[in-house]
């Protein structure tokens, strides 16, 4: 097998592993794409809290314990009751559930989703929208750090096993950080 083929297979396997890991480690997916019109090129890639609350659906089940964990984290950041945050998130999710699945190959406009989520939560909870936006961003940043921390030992092991070179592992790390590959 040629070196190029090995590299391509290694990167492909790492991307699949990363995608699965990030999909499982993402935030709860109890809904689907929100009302904003999907576009072929959405805003800046990367993890986002709106996706984690199930805006894209399908990759994490239908809520459950993880949804509760995320609601608890957000409630703590906002200084409000967890039950109120959970109810506000469910209300948003139901209000933004599309009538039909998104067109294959098109992605939702993440910036519009996040803005809509922040506005809805702010209104439902009686909190300033800027405070909600900041809390969502803090949680998203923490989740990205957790994903990077979970990815590193797997890539290190792949390098140690000879599955990937260090340069390939570094490329996967960079691609994941930039949102080029992964579950989001």
């Amino acid at each position: 097998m040629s070196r190029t083929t090995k590299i391509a297979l290694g990167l492909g396997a790492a991307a699949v592993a990363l995608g699965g890991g990030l999909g499982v480690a993402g935030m709860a997916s109890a809904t689907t794409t929100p009302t904003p019109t999907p576009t072929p090129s959405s805003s800046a890639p990367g993890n986002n809290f709106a996706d984690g609350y199930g805006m894209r659906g399908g990759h994490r089940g239908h809520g459950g314990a993880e949804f509760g964990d995320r609601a608890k984290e957000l409630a703590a950041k906002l200084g409000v009751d967890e039950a109120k945050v959970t109810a506000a998130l469910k209300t948003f999710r139901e209000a933004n559930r599309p009538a039909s699945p998104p067109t294959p190959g098109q992605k939702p406009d993440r910036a519009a989703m996040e803005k809509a989520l922040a506005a809805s939560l702010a209104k439902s909870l009686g909190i300033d929208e800027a405070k909600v936006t900041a809390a969502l961003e803090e949680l998203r940043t923490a989740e990205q750090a957790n994903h990077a921390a979970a990815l590193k030992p797997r890539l290190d092991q792949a390098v140690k096993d000879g599955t990937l070179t260090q340069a390939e592992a570094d490329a996967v790390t960079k691609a994941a950080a930039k949102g080029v590959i992964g579950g989001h």
Side-chain angles (χ1 to χ4, degrees):
M1 191 179 312
S2 73
R3 178 171 166 75
T4 304
T5 303
K6 287 180 183 178
I7 290 171
L9 289 174
L11 286 174
V16 168
L18 174 66
L22 292 178
V24 168
M27 297 177 189
S29 67
T31 64
T32 55
T33 309
T35 303
T37 305
T39 60
S41 62
S42 56
S43 63
N47 295 341
N48 88 45
F49 198 76
D51 282 350
Y53 272 94
M55 302 311 300
R56 292 170 38 168
H59 63 88
R60 301 248 358 262
H62 294 287
E66 231 169 299
F67 182 81
D69 290 345
R70 301 304 184 234
K72 184 176 183 176
E73 292 169 4
L74 183 57
K77 291 261 183 222
L78 296 173
V80 297
D81 182 59
E82 180 182 344
K84 289 181 181 179
V85 172
T86 300
L89 288 168
K90 286 180 181 178
T91 299
F92 176 78
R93 183 178 59 209
E94 290 302 318
N96 290 285
R97 187 179 310 264
S100 62
T103 304
Q106 291 196 343
K107 296 180 181 179
D109 182 345
R110 291 182 187 207
M113 284 191 314
E114 290 181 17
K115 185 167 177 49
L117 176 62
S120 176
L121 290 175
K123 182 178 179 182
S124 294
L125 300 172
I127 297 174
D128 181 57
E129 188 174 334
K131 182 176 180 181
V132 174
T133 300
L136 292 172
E137 180 59 33
E138 285 178 33
L139 291 173
R140 183 174 24 275
T141 300
E143 191 67 27
Q144 286 173 325
N146 290 341
H147 290 176
L151 178 60
K152 183 169 178 19
R154 294 192 335 231
L155 290 174
D156 289 346
Q157 186 63 45
V159 170
K160 182 178 175 184
D161 293 344
T163 306
L164 296 175
T165 66
Q166 186 59 53
E168 292 167 338
D170 293 344
V172 170
T173 300
K174 184 176 180 179
K178 298 287 185 181
V180 174
I181 61 172
H184 297 289

